Structures are given as C-alpha cells and as structure tokens.
Amino acid sequence: MKNKVKEILRIRGMRGAITAFVGLVIIYVVFGCINDKVFSLQNNLNLLRSMAKYLLIGIGQSFVMITGNIDLSIGSVVGMSAMVTASLMTRGVPIVVALLVSLLIGLIIGYVNGELVGKFQMPPFIATLGTMFVARGIAYLVNGNRNTDNIASILGKDQGKFFQDAFYYGKILGIYTTFWIAFLIFLIFSFILGKTKLGRHIYAVGSNKEASRLSGVDIVSVIKKTYLISAFCSVIVGFILCAQAGMGNMEAGNMYEMYGVAAGVIGGVSPLGGSGLLLGTFQGALLWQTLENGLNMVGAQVGIQRIVIGVIVVLAVLMDVLVRNGNLFSKKNKK
C-alpha cells in the first residue's frame, strides 16, 4: 500500500493536484461555514457552470505550458470566437456553419502561433502577443466595431434558445451543459496527455528540448499541436460566452489568458515546462472558482478577489521554482 502511494506521488504533477484538492476542500468548508448558502444545490450548480470556462482555457494553456511555452492569445481568440459566431448568426447563417467557421478561424490563429514559436523559434511571449492583437482586432472588425444584436432576434426564438441551451442554459442529468462540455473535453485531453505518444512527447519537449530532438521527437510538430489544442479550447469558451450573453461582445474573453495560466499553475502545472496533470488543472479551476464564489458570497470587493488570486498564483509558481532548484528541502535551508 505504501509503495502504491509512493508510485502515485511520483506521477508528474500529482503532488500539485493533491495540494490543489486539499486547498479546494479547505476553502469550500471555510466559506460554507461563513455563509451556508455556499452549500446550496443551486450555488454548486452555478459554480460548476462558471468553473467550466476556466477549466477549458486552463486545459489549453496547460498543454502549452508543459512544453515550456505560453499562449497570450487565448483571451482574444475567445472574444473573436464569440463575435464571429454571433455576427454570422445575426446575418442568418445556420448555427452549425457559424460554429464551424469560427472554429476554423480560431485554429488558424493556433496554427500561426505554432509556426512562429515552433518553426521560427520566436519567443512565445512576443509571438502570441502579436496574434493576441490580431484576434482582438478581428473581434472588433467583424461586426463594424460594435457588439452584435441579440441572436434570437434574427434566428428566431426557438433557434436562439437551442443554441443558448446547448452551450449554457440547458441541463443534462440536472447539471448545466456547460460543465458537461468542459468535462468531456477534459477527459479526452487527459487521455491524450497521459496515454498517447503525443502526450509523452509534450512532456519530453518541456523537460529538455535538445534531448527530445536527439531522441527523434518532432519538436515543431509537438508545439504546433499544443497551440492548436489551446485555440480549440478558446473557441469553445467563445461559444459559451456567446450563448450566455445571447449576443457577441467585442470585449468577451478579456484577460482569460491569465485565467488559464492561473488554473494550471494553481493545479501544479509548471510554467517552466515538463510537469503537470490536467487533473491538477481541473482542481485549480475549481479551486479558483470556489474562491471567487466564496468571496462574492461574503461581499468581498473585486479588488480583494484579484489580490487574493494573484498572491496564490505567485506562491504556486514560487513553490515550483524552489522545488525544482532543490532549495525548499535543502540541508542549507534546514540549518
């Protein structure tokens, strides 16, 4: 039994996932004791639905971070997806066609990111900063520099309701469809990361690029795929925000790239690359949403919420750096 526990703890990122889970339980119980409405069924359903957006962008950002890179274009791709989808639908384009066109444009942004970072070896911060502005520019231009009209006013009440229920307001087995969408994507990409050759190569690239290259890993292809995954997840979040508002908002997804980083880092995904589990990202997204929900329930100001989350992210990264450098448990520190 003891050997089994040690084996589980040796899994890359498992310690971070466990730490996030413990923190989640503590935060949930503490806020529940302060305000018992935290434990209510409706609050928990809303919490899962809100958490789904953070989980999805966290999944995309985690794939990129495990390779030792970052994607700053996530939030803008979310906004672009919401605006392109809504703009097409308010022009009478069928829902499925609008979704596919939006997905294609989002994947093109992801492909460009992968080319710039992987093939041309541009610093990911600069490359994705550029595509961040491009994607946000498209979000502004696609409907003439204004938010779209209400989708239902053009598609009709039934079609509009179908789209909004599919991505936000509908329920399956009593739980909002938003969560089920995110959970299904989480399961698929967890399998890819943990059980496939691509997953092994992603960890290898993040751990040591040169060693991976010498081992025959196609580093450029691996990096491209992680950015495509990031773009795909961002586009889905754009659909969710579009369904939630019933329209396209040019500022949708603002700062979501940082939310993705936070969800991953809090869950033990190393921003230095080579380590992390999507299970940890799940816990990190849920912990963050629980913290945000609890602070709202006790009436904390938005500024306080941001400070608390910012401190948690910094501490999580600091712990990762100290552990990697061997400074956390070194004999020197013990003296």
Side-chain angles (χ1 to χ4, degrees), residues 171-239:
K171 288 183 179 180
I172 298 174
L173 300 177
I175 300 175
Y176 288 109
T177 52
T178 312
F179 172 78
W180 290 119
I181 291 169
F183 187 64
L184 178 60
I185 291 173
F186 162 75
L187 292 178
I188 292 170
F189 286 124
S190 290
F191 176 80
I192 291 172
L193 190 60
K195 300 294 183 180
T196 68
K197 184 169 72 173
L198 174 60
R200 292 192 296 272
H201 287 176
I202 287 171
Y203 282 114
V205 169
S207 297
N208 191 319
K209 285 185 180 179
E210 189 55 34
S212 300
R213 194 191 316 275
L214 294 173
S215 300
V217 176
D218 187 342
I219 295 175
V220 174
S221 176
V222 170
I223 291 174
K224 280 182 184 178
K225 287 171 183 174
T226 61
Y227 277 107
L228 285 171
I229 290 169
S230 178
F232 170 79
C233 292
S234 302
V235 169
I236 301 301
V237 175
F239 296 161

Short mmCIF file of all heavy atoms in Angstrom, two decimals, residues 171-239:
data_model
loop_
_atom_site.label_atom_id
_atom_site.label_comp_id
_atom_site.label_asym_id
_atom_site.label_seq_id
_atom_site.Cartn_x
_atom_site.Cartn_y
_atom_site.Cartn_z
N LYS A 171 -29.68 21.75 -19.38
CA LYS A 171 -29.18 20.81 -18.37
C LYS A 171 -29.27 19.38 -18.87
O LYS A 171 -30.18 19.02 -19.63
CB LYS A 171 -30.00 20.93 -17.08
CG LYS A 171 -29.74 22.19 -16.27
CD LYS A 171 -30.54 22.19 -14.97
CE LYS A 171 -30.27 23.43 -14.13
NZ LYS A 171 -31.05 23.42 -12.87
N ILE A 172 -28.32 18.57 -18.45
CA ILE A 172 -28.33 17.13 -18.68
C ILE A 172 -28.10 16.47 -17.32
O ILE A 172 -27.12 16.77 -16.64
CB ILE A 172 -27.23 16.70 -19.67
CG1 ILE A 172 -27.46 17.34 -21.04
CG2 ILE A 172 -27.20 15.17 -19.80
CD1 ILE A 172 -26.34 17.07 -22.03
N LEU A 173 -29.02 15.60 -16.94
CA LEU A 173 -28.96 14.94 -15.61
C LEU A 173 -28.89 15.96 -14.48
O LEU A 173 -28.21 15.76 -13.47
CB LEU A 173 -27.75 14.00 -15.54
CG LEU A 173 -27.70 12.86 -16.57
CD1 LEU A 173 -26.42 12.06 -16.42
CD2 LEU A 173 -28.92 11.95 -16.42
N GLY A 174 -29.56 17.08 -14.68
CA GLY A 174 -29.65 18.10 -13.63
C GLY A 174 -28.46 19.03 -13.54
O GLY A 174 -28.43 19.92 -12.69
N ILE A 175 -27.45 18.84 -14.40
CA ILE A 175 -26.25 19.67 -14.37
C ILE A 175 -26.15 20.43 -15.71
O ILE A 175 -26.44 19.88 -16.76
CB ILE A 175 -24.99 18.81 -14.15
CG1 ILE A 175 -25.09 18.08 -12.81
CG2 ILE A 175 -23.72 19.69 -14.18
CD1 ILE A 175 -23.95 17.11 -12.55
N TYR A 176 -25.72 21.68 -15.64
CA TYR A 176 -25.68 22.52 -16.84
C TYR A 176 -24.78 21.92 -17.92
O TYR A 176 -23.72 21.36 -17.64
CB TYR A 176 -25.18 23.93 -16.49
CG TYR A 176 -26.19 24.74 -15.71
CD1 TYR A 176 -25.98 25.02 -14.36
CD2 TYR A 176 -27.35 25.20 -16.31
CE1 TYR A 176 -26.91 25.76 -13.63
CE2 TYR A 176 -28.28 25.95 -15.60
CZ TYR A 176 -28.06 26.22 -14.26
OH TYR A 176 -28.98 26.94 -13.56
N THR A 177 -25.22 22.08 -19.17
CA THR A 177 -24.47 21.52 -20.31
C THR A 177 -23.06 22.09 -20.41
O THR A 177 -22.16 21.41 -20.89
CB THR A 177 -25.21 21.80 -21.63
OG1 THR A 177 -25.51 23.21 -21.71
CG2 THR A 177 -26.50 21.00 -21.71
N THR A 178 -22.87 23.31 -19.96
CA THR A 178 -21.55 23.94 -19.99
C THR A 178 -20.52 23.05 -19.29
O THR A 178 -19.42 22.85 -19.79
CB THR A 178 -21.57 25.31 -19.30
OG1 THR A 178 -22.68 26.06 -19.78
CG2 THR A 178 -20.28 26.08 -19.55
N PHE A 179 -20.91 22.54 -18.13
CA PHE A 179 -19.98 21.67 -17.38
C PHE A 179 -19.72 20.38 -18.14
O PHE A 179 -18.57 19.92 -18.21
CB PHE A 179 -20.55 21.35 -16.00
CG PHE A 179 -19.74 20.31 -15.26
CD1 PHE A 179 -18.54 20.67 -14.65
CD2 PHE A 179 -20.15 18.98 -15.20
CE1 PHE A 179 -17.77 19.71 -14.00
CE2 PHE A 179 -19.39 18.02 -14.55
CZ PHE A 179 -18.20 18.38 -13.95
N TRP A 180 -20.76 19.78 -18.71
CA TRP A 180 -20.58 18.50 -19.42
C TRP A 180 -19.67 18.67 -20.63
O TRP A 180 -18.85 17.78 -20.93
CB TRP A 180 -21.93 17.93 -19.84
CG TRP A 180 -22.77 17.43 -18.70
CD1 TRP A 180 -24.00 17.88 -18.33
CD2 TRP A 180 -22.44 16.38 -17.78
NE1 TRP A 180 -24.47 17.20 -17.24
CE2 TRP A 180 -23.53 16.26 -16.87
CE3 TRP A 180 -21.34 15.55 -17.61
CZ2 TRP A 180 -23.53 15.34 -15.83
CZ3 TRP A 180 -21.33 14.63 -16.57
CH2 TRP A 180 -22.42 14.53 -15.70
N ILE A 181 -19.80 19.79 -21.34
CA ILE A 181 -18.91 20.06 -22.48
C ILE A 181 -17.46 20.10 -22.02
O ILE A 181 -16.57 19.47 -22.59
CB ILE A 181 -19.30 21.38 -23.17
CG1 ILE A 181 -20.66 21.24 -23.86
CG2 ILE A 181 -18.23 21.81 -24.18
CD1 ILE A 181 -21.25 22.57 -24.33
N ALA A 182 -17.22 20.88 -20.95
CA ALA A 182 -15.86 21.02 -20.44
C ALA A 182 -15.33 19.69 -19.90
O ALA A 182 -14.16 19.35 -20.10
CB ALA A 182 -15.83 22.08 -19.33
N PHE A 183 -16.20 18.94 -19.23
CA PHE A 183 -15.78 17.67 -18.63
C PHE A 183 -15.41 16.65 -19.70
O PHE A 183 -14.43 15.92 -19.57
CB PHE A 183 -16.89 17.12 -17.73
CG PHE A 183 -16.48 15.91 -16.93
CD1 PHE A 183 -15.49 16.01 -15.97
CD2 PHE A 183 -17.09 14.68 -17.14
CE1 PHE A 183 -15.10 14.89 -15.23
CE2 PHE A 183 -16.71 13.57 -16.41
CZ PHE A 183 -15.72 13.67 -15.45
N LEU A 184 -16.19 16.62 -20.78
CA LEU A 184 -15.89 15.70 -21.89
C LEU A 184 -14.55 16.05 -22.53
O LEU A 184 -13.73 15.15 -22.79
CB LEU A 184 -17.00 15.76 -22.94
CG LEU A 184 -16.80 14.89 -24.19
CD1 LEU A 184 -16.70 13.42 -23.82
CD2 LEU A 184 -17.94 15.12 -25.18
N ILE A 185 -14.33 17.33 -22.77
CA ILE A 185 -13.05 17.77 -23.35
C ILE A 185 -11.91 17.46 -22.39
O ILE A 185 -10.82 17.04 -22.81
CB ILE A 185 -13.12 19.27 -23.69
CG1 ILE A 185 -14.09 19.49 -24.85
CG2 ILE A 185 -11.73 19.83 -24.04
CD1 ILE A 185 -14.37 20.93 -25.16
N PHE A 186 -12.15 17.64 -21.10
CA PHE A 186 -11.15 17.31 -20.08
C PHE A 186 -10.76 15.83 -20.15
O PHE A 186 -9.57 15.49 -20.13
CB PHE A 186 -11.71 17.66 -18.70
CG PHE A 186 -10.98 17.00 -17.55
CD1 PHE A 186 -9.73 17.46 -17.15
CD2 PHE A 186 -11.55 15.93 -16.88
CE1 PHE A 186 -9.06 16.85 -16.09
CE2 PHE A 186 -10.89 15.32 -15.83
CZ PHE A 186 -9.64 15.77 -15.43
N LEU A 187 -11.74 14.95 -20.26
CA LEU A 187 -11.47 13.51 -20.33
C LEU A 187 -10.67 13.16 -21.59
O LEU A 187 -9.71 12.39 -21.53
CB LEU A 187 -12.78 12.73 -20.31
CG LEU A 187 -13.59 12.74 -19.01
CD1 LEU A 187 -14.88 11.95 -19.19
CD2 LEU A 187 -12.78 12.17 -17.85
N ILE A 188 -11.06 13.74 -22.71
CA ILE A 188 -10.38 13.44 -23.98
C ILE A 188 -8.92 13.88 -23.93
O ILE A 188 -8.00 13.11 -24.26
CB ILE A 188 -11.10 14.13 -25.16
CG1 ILE A 188 -12.48 13.49 -25.38
CG2 ILE A 188 -10.26 14.03 -26.44
CD1 ILE A 188 -13.36 14.24 -26.34
N PHE A 189 -8.69 15.11 -23.49
CA PHE A 189 -7.33 15.62 -23.50
C PHE A 189 -6.48 15.06 -22.36
O PHE A 189 -5.25 15.00 -22.47
CB PHE A 189 -7.33 17.15 -23.49
CG PHE A 189 -7.71 17.75 -24.82
CD1 PHE A 189 -8.76 18.64 -24.94
CD2 PHE A 189 -7.02 17.40 -25.97
CE1 PHE A 189 -9.11 19.18 -26.16
CE2 PHE A 189 -7.35 17.92 -27.20
CZ PHE A 189 -8.40 18.81 -27.31
N SER A 190 -7.12 14.62 -21.28
CA SER A 190 -6.38 13.92 -20.21
C SER A 190 -5.85 12.60 -20.74
O SER A 190 -4.71 12.20 -20.45
CB SER A 190 -7.29 13.66 -19.00
OG SER A 190 -7.60 14.84 -18.34
N PHE A 191 -6.66 11.92 -21.54
CA PHE A 191 -6.22 10.67 -22.16
C PHE A 191 -5.07 10.92 -23.12
O PHE A 191 -4.06 10.20 -23.11
CB PHE A 191 -7.39 10.01 -22.91
CG PHE A 191 -7.01 8.76 -23.64
CD1 PHE A 191 -6.89 7.55 -22.98
CD2 PHE A 191 -6.73 8.80 -25.01
CE1 PHE A 191 -6.52 6.40 -23.65
CE2 PHE A 191 -6.36 7.66 -25.70
CZ PHE A 191 -6.24 6.45 -25.01
N ILE A 192 -5.19 11.96 -23.93
CA ILE A 192 -4.14 12.30 -24.90
C ILE A 192 -2.82 12.60 -24.18
O ILE A 192 -1.75 12.12 -24.56
CB ILE A 192 -4.55 13.49 -25.77
CG1 ILE A 192 -5.69 13.07 -26.72
CG2 ILE A 192 -3.37 14.04 -26.57
CD1 ILE A 192 -6.30 14.22 -27.48
N LEU A 193 -2.91 13.39 -23.11
CA LEU A 193 -1.69 13.80 -22.40
C LEU A 193 -1.06 12.65 -21.62
O LEU A 193 0.16 12.54 -21.54
CB LEU A 193 -2.02 14.96 -21.45
CG LEU A 193 -0.83 15.67 -20.81
CD1 LEU A 193 0.08 16.29 -21.87
CD2 LEU A 193 -1.32 16.76 -19.85
N GLY A 194 -1.91 11.78 -21.07
CA GLY A 194 -1.39 10.73 -20.19
C GLY A 194 -1.15 9.39 -20.84
O GLY A 194 -0.37 8.57 -20.32
N LYS A 195 -1.80 9.12 -21.98
CA LYS A 195 -1.78 7.75 -22.53
C LYS A 195 -1.31 7.64 -23.98
O LYS A 195 -1.35 6.54 -24.53
CB LYS A 195 -3.19 7.14 -22.42
CG LYS A 195 -3.74 7.06 -21.00
CD LYS A 195 -2.94 6.10 -20.14
CE LYS A 195 -3.54 5.97 -18.74
NZ LYS A 195 -2.76 5.04 -17.89
N THR A 196 -0.91 8.73 -24.61
CA THR A 196 -0.54 8.66 -26.02
C THR A 196 0.91 9.10 -26.24
O THR A 196 1.53 9.73 -25.36
CB THR A 196 -1.46 9.54 -26.90
OG1 THR A 196 -1.22 10.92 -26.58
CG2 THR A 196 -2.92 9.21 -26.66
N LYS A 197 1.42 8.82 -27.42
CA LYS A 197 2.78 9.23 -27.78
C LYS A 197 2.91 10.75 -27.79
O LYS A 197 3.93 11.29 -27.36
CB LYS A 197 3.15 8.66 -29.15
CG LYS A 197 4.59 8.94 -29.56
CD LYS A 197 4.99 8.14 -30.79
CE LYS A 197 4.32 8.68 -32.04
NZ LYS A 197 4.85 8.02 -33.26
N LEU A 198 1.85 11.43 -28.27
CA LEU A 198 1.88 12.89 -28.27
C LEU A 198 2.07 13.42 -26.85
O LEU A 198 2.86 14.34 -26.63
CB LEU A 198 0.59 13.45 -28.87
CG LEU A 198 0.43 14.98 -28.80
CD1 LEU A 198 1.57 15.68 -29.53
CD2 LEU A 198 -0.93 15.41 -29.36
N GLY A 199 1.35 12.84 -25.90
CA GLY A 199 1.47 13.27 -24.51
C GLY A 199 2.89 13.09 -23.99
O GLY A 199 3.45 13.99 -23.33
N ARG A 200 3.49 11.94 -24.28
CA ARG A 200 4.87 11.70 -23.84
C ARG A 200 5.83 12.69 -24.47
O ARG A 200 6.77 13.17 -23.83
CB ARG A 200 5.29 10.26 -24.19
CG ARG A 200 4.55 9.19 -23.40
CD ARG A 200 5.18 7.83 -23.56
NE ARG A 200 5.11 7.34 -24.95
CZ ARG A 200 4.09 6.67 -25.44
NH1 ARG A 200 3.02 6.41 -24.68
NH2 ARG A 200 4.09 6.24 -26.69
N HIS A 201 5.60 13.01 -25.74
CA HIS A 201 6.46 13.97 -26.43
C HIS A 201 6.29 15.38 -25.87
O HIS A 201 7.26 16.15 -25.83
CB HIS A 201 6.16 13.95 -27.92
CG HIS A 201 6.68 12.72 -28.61
ND1 HIS A 201 6.46 12.45 -29.95
CD2 HIS A 201 7.41 11.67 -28.14
CE1 HIS A 201 7.03 11.30 -30.26
NE2 HIS A 201 7.60 10.81 -29.19
N ILE A 202 5.09 15.73 -25.48
CA ILE A 202 4.84 17.06 -24.88
C ILE A 202 5.65 17.22 -23.60
O ILE A 202 6.32 18.24 -23.39
CB ILE A 202 3.34 17.26 -24.61
CG1 ILE A 202 2.59 17.48 -25.93
CG2 ILE A 202 3.11 18.45 -23.68
CD1 ILE A 202 1.08 17.47 -25.80
N TYR A 203 5.62 16.20 -22.75
CA TYR A 203 6.41 16.24 -21.51
C TYR A 203 7.91 16.29 -21.83
O TYR A 203 8.68 17.00 -21.18
CB TYR A 203 6.11 15.02 -20.64
CG TYR A 203 4.82 15.11 -19.87
CD1 TYR A 203 3.77 14.25 -20.15
CD2 TYR A 203 4.65 16.05 -18.86
CE1 TYR A 203 2.58 14.31 -19.44
CE2 TYR A 203 3.46 16.13 -18.15
CZ TYR A 203 2.43 15.26 -18.44
OH TYR A 203 1.26 15.34 -17.73
N ALA A 204 8.32 15.50 -22.82
CA ALA A 204 9.74 15.44 -23.18
C ALA A 204 10.25 16.79 -23.67
O ALA A 204 11.33 17.24 -23.28
CB ALA A 204 9.95 14.37 -24.26
N VAL A 205 9.46 17.45 -24.53
CA VAL A 205 9.85 18.76 -25.06
C VAL A 205 9.97 19.77 -23.92
O VAL A 205 10.90 20.58 -23.88
CB VAL A 205 8.84 19.25 -26.12
CG1 VAL A 205 9.08 20.72 -26.48
CG2 VAL A 205 8.92 18.38 -27.37
N GLY A 206 9.02 19.73 -22.99
CA GLY A 206 9.05 20.66 -21.87
C GLY A 206 10.19 20.39 -20.91
O GLY A 206 10.72 21.32 -20.28
N SER A 207 10.61 19.14 -20.80
CA SER A 207 11.70 18.78 -19.88
C SER A 207 13.07 19.13 -20.46
O SER A 207 13.93 19.68 -19.77
CB SER A 207 11.65 17.28 -19.57
OG SER A 207 10.45 16.95 -18.90
N ASN A 208 13.26 18.80 -21.74
CA ASN A 208 14.57 19.05 -22.36
C ASN A 208 14.42 19.00 -23.88
O ASN A 208 14.34 17.92 -24.46
CB ASN A 208 15.59 18.01 -21.89
CG ASN A 208 17.01 18.38 -22.28
OD1 ASN A 208 17.26 18.86 -23.38
ND2 ASN A 208 17.93 18.16 -21.36
N LYS A 209 14.38 20.15 -24.51
CA LYS A 209 14.16 20.20 -25.97
C LYS A 209 15.29 19.54 -26.74
O LYS A 209 15.05 18.81 -27.71
CB LYS A 209 14.01 21.65 -26.43
CG LYS A 209 12.67 22.27 -26.08
CD LYS A 209 12.55 23.66 -26.67
CE LYS A 209 11.19 24.27 -26.29
NZ LYS A 209 11.04 25.64 -26.83
N GLU A 210 16.51 19.80 -26.32
CA GLU A 210 17.64 19.25 -27.06
C GLU A 210 17.67 17.73 -26.98
O GLU A 210 17.91 17.04 -27.99
CB GLU A 210 18.95 19.84 -26.53
CG GLU A 210 20.17 19.50 -27.36
CD GLU A 210 20.04 19.90 -28.82
OE1 GLU A 210 19.39 20.93 -29.11
OE2 GLU A 210 20.56 19.17 -29.68
N ALA A 211 17.45 17.20 -25.79
CA ALA A 211 17.41 15.75 -25.63
C ALA A 211 16.26 15.15 -26.43
O ALA A 211 16.40 14.07 -27.02
CB ALA A 211 17.26 15.39 -24.14
N SER A 212 15.13 15.84 -26.49
CA SER A 212 13.98 15.37 -27.27
C SER A 212 14.32 15.34 -28.75
O SER A 212 13.98 14.39 -29.46
CB SER A 212 12.78 16.29 -27.05
OG SER A 212 12.41 16.30 -25.69
N ARG A 213 15.01 16.37 -29.21
CA ARG A 213 15.40 16.44 -30.62
C ARG A 213 16.32 15.27 -30.98
O ARG A 213 16.17 14.62 -32.01
CB ARG A 213 16.10 17.76 -30.90
CG ARG A 213 16.25 18.10 -32.39
CD ARG A 213 17.17 19.28 -32.60
NE ARG A 213 16.92 20.38 -31.68
CZ ARG A 213 16.00 21.31 -31.86
NH1 ARG A 213 15.23 21.28 -32.93
NH2 ARG A 213 15.84 22.28 -30.97
N LEU A 214 17.29 15.01 -30.10
CA LEU A 214 18.24 13.92 -30.34
C LEU A 214 17.56 12.56 -30.28
O LEU A 214 18.04 11.59 -30.88
CB LEU A 214 19.37 13.98 -29.31
CG LEU A 214 20.29 15.22 -29.41
CD1 LEU A 214 21.26 15.25 -28.24
CD2 LEU A 214 21.03 15.23 -30.74
N SER A 215 16.43 12.50 -29.57
CA SER A 215 15.67 11.24 -29.46
C SER A 215 14.72 11.03 -30.64
O SER A 215 14.01 10.03 -30.69
CB SER A 215 14.88 11.21 -28.15
OG SER A 215 15.74 11.30 -27.04
N GLY A 216 14.69 11.99 -31.54
CA GLY A 216 13.85 11.85 -32.72
C GLY A 216 12.48 12.47 -32.61
O GLY A 216 11.63 12.27 -33.48
N VAL A 217 12.23 13.25 -31.56
CA VAL A 217 10.93 13.91 -31.39
C VAL A 217 10.84 15.10 -32.34
O VAL A 217 11.77 15.91 -32.42
CB VAL A 217 10.72 14.38 -29.94
CG1 VAL A 217 9.42 15.15 -29.80
CG2 VAL A 217 10.74 13.20 -28.99
N ASP A 218 9.73 15.20 -33.07
CA ASP A 218 9.49 16.35 -33.95
C ASP A 218 8.98 17.50 -33.09
O ASP A 218 7.77 17.65 -32.88
CB ASP A 218 8.47 15.97 -35.03
CG ASP A 218 8.31 17.06 -36.09
OD1 ASP A 218 8.71 18.21 -35.82
OD2 ASP A 218 7.77 16.75 -37.16
N ILE A 219 9.90 18.31 -32.61
CA ILE A 219 9.56 19.38 -31.66
C ILE A 219 8.59 20.39 -32.27
O ILE A 219 7.64 20.82 -31.61
CB ILE A 219 10.84 20.08 -31.17
CG1 ILE A 219 11.69 19.11 -30.36
CG2 ILE A 219 10.49 21.30 -30.33
CD1 ILE A 219 13.02 19.66 -29.93
N VAL A 220 8.82 20.75 -33.51
CA VAL A 220 7.95 21.73 -34.18
C VAL A 220 6.52 21.22 -34.25
O VAL A 220 5.56 21.95 -33.94
CB VAL A 220 8.47 22.05 -35.60
CG1 VAL A 220 7.49 22.96 -36.33
CG2 VAL A 220 9.84 22.70 -35.53
N SER A 221 6.34 19.96 -34.62
CA SER A 221 5.01 19.37 -34.71
C SER A 221 4.32 19.32 -33.36
O SER A 221 3.12 19.61 -33.24
CB SER A 221 5.12 17.95 -35.29
OG SER A 221 3.86 17.33 -35.31
N VAL A 222 5.07 18.97 -32.32
CA VAL A 222 4.51 18.90 -30.96
C VAL A 222 4.03 20.27 -30.51
O VAL A 222 2.91 20.42 -29.99
CB VAL A 222 5.56 18.35 -29.97
CG1 VAL A 222 5.07 18.50 -28.53
CG2 VAL A 222 5.84 16.88 -30.26
N ILE A 223 4.86 21.29 -30.72
CA ILE A 223 4.49 22.65 -30.30
C ILE A 223 3.27 23.15 -31.08
O ILE A 223 2.36 23.76 -30.51
CB ILE A 223 5.68 23.61 -30.48
CG1 ILE A 223 6.77 23.27 -29.45
CG2 ILE A 223 5.24 25.07 -30.31
CD1 ILE A 223 8.06 24.05 -29.61
N LYS A 224 3.22 22.86 -32.38
CA LYS A 224 2.06 23.25 -33.19
C LYS A 224 0.78 22.64 -32.63
O LYS A 224 -0.26 23.32 -32.52
CB LYS A 224 2.25 22.78 -34.63
CG LYS A 224 3.14 23.64 -35.50
CD LYS A 224 3.17 23.06 -36.91
CE LYS A 224 4.12 23.81 -37.80
NZ LYS A 224 4.18 23.21 -39.16
N LYS A 225 0.84 21.37 -32.27
CA LYS A 225 -0.35 20.68 -31.78
C LYS A 225 -0.83 21.26 -30.45
O LYS A 225 -2.04 21.35 -30.22
CB LYS A 225 -0.07 19.18 -31.66
CG LYS A 225 0.00 18.48 -33.02
CD LYS A 225 0.50 17.06 -32.91
CE LYS A 225 0.62 16.43 -34.31
NZ LYS A 225 1.24 15.08 -34.27
N THR A 226 0.10 21.65 -29.59
CA THR A 226 -0.32 22.23 -28.31
C THR A 226 -1.02 23.57 -28.54
O THR A 226 -2.01 23.88 -27.86
CB THR A 226 0.87 22.42 -27.35
OG1 THR A 226 1.84 23.31 -27.92
CG2 THR A 226 1.53 21.09 -27.02
N TYR A 227 -0.53 24.36 -29.48
CA TYR A 227 -1.17 25.64 -29.76
C TYR A 227 -2.53 25.46 -30.46
O TYR A 227 -3.45 26.26 -30.27
CB TYR A 227 -0.26 26.55 -30.58
CG TYR A 227 0.75 27.29 -29.72
CD1 TYR A 227 2.09 26.94 -29.72
CD2 TYR A 227 0.34 28.34 -28.90
CE1 TYR A 227 3.01 27.62 -28.91
CE2 TYR A 227 1.23 29.02 -28.09
CZ TYR A 227 2.57 28.65 -28.10
OH TYR A 227 3.47 29.32 -27.30
N LEU A 228 -2.65 24.42 -31.26
CA LEU A 228 -3.95 24.10 -31.87
C LEU A 228 -4.96 23.69 -30.80
O LEU A 228 -6.13 24.08 -30.84
CB LEU A 228 -3.80 22.99 -32.91
CG LEU A 228 -3.17 23.40 -34.25
CD1 LEU A 228 -2.87 22.17 -35.09
CD2 LEU A 228 -4.09 24.35 -35.02
N ILE A 229 -4.50 22.90 -29.82
CA ILE A 229 -5.37 22.49 -28.71
C ILE A 229 -5.80 23.72 -27.91
O ILE A 229 -6.97 23.86 -27.53
CB ILE A 229 -4.65 21.48 -27.81
CG1 ILE A 229 -4.51 20.14 -28.55
CG2 ILE A 229 -5.40 21.28 -26.48
CD1 ILE A 229 -3.59 19.14 -27.87
N SER A 230 -4.86 24.62 -27.67
CA SER A 230 -5.17 25.85 -26.93
C SER A 230 -6.22 26.68 -27.67
O SER A 230 -7.17 27.18 -27.07
CB SER A 230 -3.89 26.67 -26.74
OG SER A 230 -4.16 27.88 -26.06
N ALA A 231 -6.05 26.81 -29.00
CA ALA A 231 -7.01 27.58 -29.80
C ALA A 231 -8.37 26.91 -29.80
O ALA A 231 -9.41 27.58 -29.69
CB ALA A 231 -6.48 27.72 -31.23
N PHE A 232 -8.40 25.58 -29.91
CA PHE A 232 -9.66 24.84 -29.91
C PHE A 232 -10.44 25.10 -28.61
O PHE A 232 -11.64 25.42 -28.64
CB PHE A 232 -9.39 23.34 -30.06
CG PHE A 232 -10.60 22.48 -29.85
CD1 PHE A 232 -11.56 22.32 -30.84
CD2 PHE A 232 -10.79 21.81 -28.63
CE1 PHE A 232 -12.68 21.53 -30.63
CE2 PHE A 232 -11.91 21.02 -28.42
CZ PHE A 232 -12.85 20.88 -29.42
N CYS A 233 -9.76 24.98 -27.48
CA CYS A 233 -10.42 25.21 -26.19
C CYS A 233 -10.92 26.65 -26.07
O CYS A 233 -12.00 26.90 -25.54
CB CYS A 233 -9.45 24.89 -25.04
SG CYS A 233 -9.02 23.14 -24.88
N SER A 234 -10.14 27.59 -26.59
CA SER A 234 -10.53 29.01 -26.53
C SER A 234 -11.78 29.27 -27.36
O SER A 234 -12.66 30.02 -26.94
CB SER A 234 -9.38 29.88 -27.05
OG SER A 234 -8.21 29.68 -26.29
N VAL A 235 -11.86 28.65 -28.52
CA VAL A 235 -13.03 28.81 -29.38
C VAL A 235 -14.29 28.29 -28.69
O VAL A 235 -15.35 28.93 -28.73
CB VAL A 235 -12.83 28.08 -30.73
CG1 VAL A 235 -14.14 28.02 -31.52
CG2 VAL A 235 -11.77 28.80 -31.55
N ILE A 236 -14.18 27.14 -28.01
CA ILE A 236 -15.33 26.58 -27.30
C ILE A 236 -15.80 27.54 -26.20
O ILE A 236 -17.00 27.73 -26.00
CB ILE A 236 -14.99 25.20 -26.69
CG1 ILE A 236 -14.56 24.21 -27.78
CG2 ILE A 236 -16.19 24.64 -25.93
CD1 ILE A 236 -15.58 23.96 -28.85
N VAL A 237 -14.84 28.15 -25.49
CA VAL A 237 -15.21 29.13 -24.46
C VAL A 237 -15.91 30.32 -25.11
O VAL A 237 -16.86 30.88 -24.54
CB VAL A 237 -13.97 29.60 -23.67
CG1 VAL A 237 -14.35 30.70 -22.68
CG2 VAL A 237 -13.35 28.43 -22.91
N GLY A 238 -15.48 30.70 -26.31
CA GLY A 238 -16.16 31.77 -27.04
C GLY A 238 -17.61 31.42 -27.33
O GLY A 238 -18.51 32.26 -27.19
N PHE A 239 -17.87 30.17 -27.71
CA PHE A 239 -19.25 29.72 -27.92
C PHE A 239 -20.06 29.85 -26.64
O PHE A 239 -21.22 30.28 -26.66
CB PHE A 239 -19.28 28.25 -28.37
CG PHE A 239 -18.62 27.97 -29.70
CD1 PHE A 239 -18.23 26.68 -30.03
CD2 PHE A 239 -18.39 28.99 -30.61
CE1 PHE A 239 -17.64 26.41 -31.25
CE2 PHE A 239 -17.79 28.73 -31.85
CZ PHE A 239 -17.41 27.43 -32.16
#
